[in-house]
Amino acid sequence: MHLRPATKKDVDLLRHWDKQPHVAAAVSNDDWQWETDLEINYGWREQLIAEENERPVGFLQIIDPAREISQYWGSIDSGYRAIDIWIGEQSDLGKGYGTEMMNLALKRIFSDETVMAVLLDPLASNTKAHRFYNRLNFKFVGERMFDLDLCFIFKLTRSDWLNANDQD
Ligand SMILES: CC(C)(COP(=O)(O)OP(=O)(O)OC[C@H]1O[C@@H](n2cnc3c(N)ncnc32)[C@H](O)[C@@H]1OP(=O)(O)O)[C@@H](O)C(=O)NCCC(=O)NCCS
Protein backbone atom coordinates (compact mmCIF):
# COMPACT_ATOMS: atom_id res chain seq x y z
CA MET A 1 0.00 0.00 0.00
CA HIS A 2 1.07 3.58 -0.60
CA LEU A 3 -0.47 7.04 -0.24
CA ARG A 4 -0.34 9.47 -3.17
CA PRO A 5 -1.77 12.98 -3.60
CA ALA A 6 -5.37 13.11 -4.85
CA THR A 7 -5.65 15.03 -8.14
CA LYS A 8 -8.40 16.32 -10.43
CA LYS A 9 -8.28 12.94 -12.19
CA ASP A 10 -9.75 11.41 -9.03
CA VAL A 11 -12.94 13.53 -9.01
CA ASP A 12 -15.21 10.86 -10.54
CA LEU A 13 -13.87 8.20 -8.22
CA LEU A 14 -14.29 10.40 -5.14
CA ARG A 15 -17.84 11.36 -6.19
CA HIS A 16 -18.60 7.65 -6.66
CA TRP A 17 -17.20 6.84 -3.22
CA ASP A 18 -19.21 9.72 -1.65
CA LYS A 19 -22.39 7.93 -2.73
CA GLN A 20 -21.53 4.60 -1.09
CA PRO A 21 -23.85 4.11 1.91
CA HIS A 22 -21.05 3.39 4.41
CA VAL A 23 -19.28 6.63 3.37
CA ALA A 24 -22.42 8.79 3.25
CA ALA A 25 -23.43 7.55 6.73
CA ALA A 26 -20.08 8.39 8.31
CA VAL A 27 -18.76 11.50 6.61
CA SER A 28 -21.03 14.11 8.26
CA ASN A 29 -22.83 16.63 6.11
CA ASP A 30 -19.77 18.31 4.66
CA ASP A 31 -20.07 18.71 0.93
CA TRP A 32 -16.64 17.97 -0.40
CA GLN A 33 -16.18 20.21 -3.45
CA TRP A 34 -13.79 17.89 -5.23
CA GLU A 35 -14.01 19.63 -8.63
CA THR A 36 -12.71 22.93 -7.27
CA ASP A 37 -11.00 21.81 -4.09
CA LEU A 38 -8.52 19.37 -5.60
CA GLU A 39 -7.07 22.18 -7.71
CA ILE A 40 -5.97 24.17 -4.68
CA ASN A 41 -2.82 23.38 -2.77
CA TYR A 42 -2.89 24.51 0.84
CA GLY A 43 0.15 24.20 3.06
CA TRP A 44 -2.09 23.07 5.94
CA ARG A 45 -3.70 20.14 4.13
CA GLU A 46 -2.86 16.87 2.36
CA GLN A 47 -5.55 14.99 0.42
CA LEU A 48 -4.33 11.48 -0.32
CA ILE A 49 -5.50 8.39 -2.17
CA ALA A 50 -4.44 5.00 -0.79
CA GLU A 51 -3.51 2.47 -3.45
CA GLU A 52 -3.17 -1.25 -2.90
CA ASN A 53 -1.28 -2.85 -5.80
CA GLU A 54 -1.90 0.39 -7.79
CA ARG A 55 -5.69 0.11 -7.19
CA PRO A 56 -7.25 3.05 -5.31
CA VAL A 57 -8.99 1.78 -2.17
CA GLY A 58 -9.48 4.80 0.08
CA PHE A 59 -9.18 8.50 0.80
CA LEU A 60 -7.33 10.16 3.66
CA GLN A 61 -7.05 13.85 4.51
CA ILE A 62 -4.58 15.35 6.96
CA ILE A 63 -5.05 18.94 8.12
CA ASP A 64 -3.35 21.29 10.53
CA PRO A 65 -6.44 22.44 12.48
CA ALA A 66 -4.75 25.63 13.69
CA ARG A 67 -4.24 26.81 10.11
CA GLU A 68 -7.30 25.26 8.40
CA ILE A 69 -9.27 27.98 6.65
CA SER A 70 -12.77 27.46 8.09
CA GLN A 71 -11.38 27.09 11.64
CA TYR A 72 -13.56 23.97 11.93
CA TRP A 73 -11.79 22.92 15.15
CA GLY A 74 -12.13 26.39 16.69
CA SER A 75 -9.28 27.95 18.59
CA ILE A 76 -6.53 25.36 18.85
CA ASP A 77 -2.79 25.44 19.48
CA SER A 78 -0.24 24.51 16.85
CA GLY A 79 1.27 21.01 17.05
CA TYR A 80 -1.88 19.07 16.14
CA ARG A 81 -3.04 17.30 13.01
CA ALA A 82 -6.55 15.99 12.25
CA ILE A 83 -7.43 13.09 9.94
CA ASP A 84 -10.45 12.16 7.84
CA ILE A 85 -10.46 8.67 6.35
CA TRP A 86 -12.71 6.35 4.42
CA ILE A 87 -12.52 3.17 2.39
CA GLY A 88 -14.23 3.68 -0.99
CA GLU A 89 -15.97 0.40 -1.77
CA GLN A 90 -17.96 -1.60 0.74
CA SER A 91 -16.26 -4.75 -0.58
CA ASP A 92 -12.90 -3.34 0.59
CA LEU A 93 -13.97 -2.91 4.24
CA GLY A 94 -12.53 -5.18 6.92
CA LYS A 95 -9.46 -6.21 4.95
CA GLY A 96 -6.95 -4.24 6.99
CA TYR A 97 -6.65 -1.39 4.45
CA GLY A 98 -7.88 1.26 6.91
CA THR A 99 -5.33 0.14 9.49
CA GLU A 100 -2.52 0.29 6.91
CA MET A 101 -3.66 3.75 5.77
CA MET A 102 -3.69 5.07 9.32
CA ASN A 103 -0.27 3.60 10.10
CA LEU A 104 1.22 5.22 6.97
CA ALA A 105 -0.47 8.54 7.79
CA LEU A 106 0.70 8.49 11.43
CA LYS A 107 4.28 7.78 10.38
CA ARG A 108 4.09 10.66 7.90
CA ILE A 109 2.55 13.03 10.45
CA PHE A 110 4.89 12.26 13.36
CA SER A 111 7.96 12.54 11.12
CA ASP A 112 7.38 16.27 11.66
CA GLU A 113 8.93 16.79 15.10
CA THR A 114 6.64 19.74 15.83
CA VAL A 115 3.51 17.55 15.84
CA MET A 116 2.52 16.47 19.35
CA ALA A 117 -0.86 14.78 18.77
CA VAL A 118 -3.40 13.66 16.17
CA LEU A 119 -7.15 14.28 16.50
CA LEU A 120 -10.17 12.49 15.02
CA ASP A 121 -13.84 13.41 15.15
CA PRO A 122 -16.03 10.43 14.19
CA LEU A 123 -19.79 10.79 14.60
CA ALA A 124 -20.93 9.68 18.06
CA SER A 125 -23.01 7.01 16.30
CA ASN A 126 -20.06 5.55 14.37
CA THR A 127 -19.18 2.77 16.81
CA LYS A 128 -17.21 0.84 14.18
CA ALA A 129 -14.86 3.80 13.74
CA HIS A 130 -14.53 4.19 17.54
CA ARG A 131 -13.42 0.55 17.80
CA PHE A 132 -11.06 1.04 14.87
CA TYR A 133 -9.44 4.12 16.44
CA ASN A 134 -9.16 2.49 19.87
CA ARG A 135 -7.28 -0.39 18.29
CA LEU A 136 -4.88 2.18 16.84
CA ASN A 137 -4.28 3.45 20.42
CA PHE A 138 -6.32 6.65 20.09
CA LYS A 139 -7.97 7.69 23.38
CA PHE A 140 -11.50 9.04 23.67
CA VAL A 141 -11.21 12.57 25.12
CA GLY A 142 -14.77 13.89 24.95
CA GLU A 143 -17.86 14.74 22.95
CA ARG A 144 -18.32 17.82 20.84
CA MET A 145 -20.89 19.29 18.46
CA PHE A 146 -19.60 20.19 15.00
CA ASP A 147 -22.41 22.07 13.24
CA LEU A 148 -25.37 19.71 13.74
CA ASP A 149 -23.30 16.60 14.36
CA LEU A 150 -22.51 15.13 17.76
CA CYS A 151 -18.98 13.77 17.48
CA PHE A 152 -16.57 11.84 19.67
CA ILE A 153 -13.07 13.27 19.85
CA PHE A 154 -10.18 10.83 19.86
CA LYS A 155 -6.56 11.77 20.41
CA LEU A 156 -3.23 10.01 19.86
CA THR A 157 -0.24 11.70 21.46
CA ARG A 158 3.25 11.33 20.06
CA SER A 159 4.33 9.41 23.18
CA ASP A 160 1.40 6.96 22.92
CA TRP A 161 2.24 6.43 19.26
CA LEU A 162 5.93 5.90 20.04
CA ASN A 163 5.12 3.49 22.87
CA ALA A 164 2.76 1.48 20.67
CA ASN A 165 5.37 1.28 17.94
CA ASP A 166 8.33 0.51 20.23
CA GLN A 167 10.28 3.41 18.79
CA ASP A 168 11.28 4.98 22.10
C1 LIG B 1 -13.31 3.17 9.60
C2 LIG B 1 -12.72 2.54 8.34
C3 LIG B 1 -11.82 3.55 7.64
C4 LIG B 1 -11.88 1.33 8.77
O1 LIG B 1 -11.29 0.78 7.59
P1 LIG B 1 -11.19 -0.79 7.34
O2 LIG B 1 -10.29 -1.01 6.20
O3 LIG B 1 -12.55 -1.37 7.26
O4 LIG B 1 -10.49 -1.21 8.70
P2 LIG B 1 -9.65 -2.55 8.97
O5 LIG B 1 -9.99 -3.59 7.99
O6 LIG B 1 -8.23 -2.15 9.08
O7 LIG B 1 -10.21 -2.92 10.40
C5 LIG B 1 -11.62 -3.05 10.54
C6 LIG B 1 -12.03 -4.46 10.81
O8 LIG B 1 -11.43 -5.42 9.98
C7 LIG B 1 -10.69 -6.35 10.77
N1 LIG B 1 -9.44 -6.57 10.06
C8 LIG B 1 -8.29 -5.88 10.20
N2 LIG B 1 -7.35 -6.38 9.37
C9 LIG B 1 -7.95 -7.39 8.68
C10 LIG B 1 -7.53 -8.25 7.67
N3 LIG B 1 -6.25 -8.22 7.20
N4 LIG B 1 -8.41 -9.15 7.17
C11 LIG B 1 -9.67 -9.19 7.65
N5 LIG B 1 -10.13 -8.37 8.61
C12 LIG B 1 -9.28 -7.49 9.12
C13 LIG B 1 -10.48 -5.68 12.08
O9 LIG B 1 -10.34 -6.61 13.12
C14 LIG B 1 -11.73 -4.88 12.20
O10 LIG B 1 -12.80 -5.68 12.68
P3 LIG B 1 -13.98 -5.08 13.56
O11 LIG B 1 -14.52 -3.86 12.86
O12 LIG B 1 -14.97 -6.20 13.61
O13 LIG B 1 -13.43 -4.73 14.90
C15 LIG B 1 -13.82 2.01 7.40
O14 LIG B 1 -14.68 1.19 8.15
C16 LIG B 1 -14.63 3.07 6.71
O15 LIG B 1 -14.26 3.60 5.67
N6 LIG B 1 -15.80 3.39 7.30
C17 LIG B 1 -16.70 4.37 6.71
C18 LIG B 1 -16.15 5.76 6.83
C19 LIG B 1 -15.78 6.08 8.25
O16 LIG B 1 -16.46 5.68 9.20
N7 LIG B 1 -14.70 6.83 8.38
C20 LIG B 1 -14.28 7.34 9.66
C21 LIG B 1 -15.00 8.61 9.91
S1 LIG B 1 -14.23 9.48 11.21
Side-chain angles (χ1 to χ4, degrees):
M1 160 148 327
H2 69 279
L3 301 176
R4 62 150 176 91
T7 73
K8 269 174 63 181
K9 290 183 186 155
D10 298 307
V11 168
D12 289 348
L13 179 68
L14 288 162
R15 282 279 171 223
H16 168 70
W17 286 352
D18 284 348
K19 292 187 204 121
Q20 304 311 302
H22 69 282
V23 177
V27 183
S28 75
N29 49 15
D30 287 340
D31 186 13
W32 296 70
Q33 304 292 337
W34 302 119
E35 289 80 359
T36 47
D37 222 27
L38 287 172
E39 287 187 340
I40 310 171
N41 283 318
Y42 292 115
W44 46 262
R45 177 182 79 181
E46 286 190 283
Q47 294 186 315
L48 303 163
I49 298 280
E51 291 191 340
E52 177 72 7
N53 296 324
E54 311 310 317
R55 184 176 69 87
V57 294
F59 173 79
L60 191 146
Q61 172 171 273
I62 302 167
I63 64 156
D64 176 345
R67 294 196 295 147
E68 188 268 331
I69 231 163
S70 76
Q71 291 291 285
Y72 173 83
W73 284 85
S75 173
I76 185 164
D77 289 340
S78 57
Y80 289 92
R81 294 291 181 271
I83 295 179
D84 291 296
I85 179 174
W86 55 89
I87 299 296
E89 302 289 346
Q90 189 147 14
S91 55
D92 281 328
L93 292 170
K95 293 182 172 174
Y97 295 154
T99 303
E100 277 190 71
M101 288 168 67
M102 287 296 292
N103 284 331
L104 287 173
L106 292 170
K107 207 169 170 186
R108 190 179 187 110
I109 288 170
F110 283 122
S111 68
D112 178 341
E113 294 293 327
T114 67
V115 178
M116 295 317 299
V118 175
L119 298 170
L120 300 162
D121 63 337
L123 293 171
S125 57
N126 192 350
T127 49
K128 182 175 173 178
H130 306 162
R131 220 174 35 236
F132 175 72
Y133 296 140
N134 275 322
R135 254 199 321 270
L136 287 159
N137 299 300
F138 281 80
K139 304 272 187 311
F140 171 76
V141 292
E143 294 183 355
R144 183 164 164 191
M145 291 298 291
F146 285 101
D147 295 328
L148 299 176
D149 297 321
L150 179 64
C151 295
F152 279 9
I153 309 301
F154 286 83
K155 181 169 159 180
L156 179 71
T157 62
R158 174 182 290 276
S159 56
D160 283 350
W161 178 73
L162 285 170
N163 287 336
N165 289 279
D166 282 329
Q167 290 174 18
D168 266 348

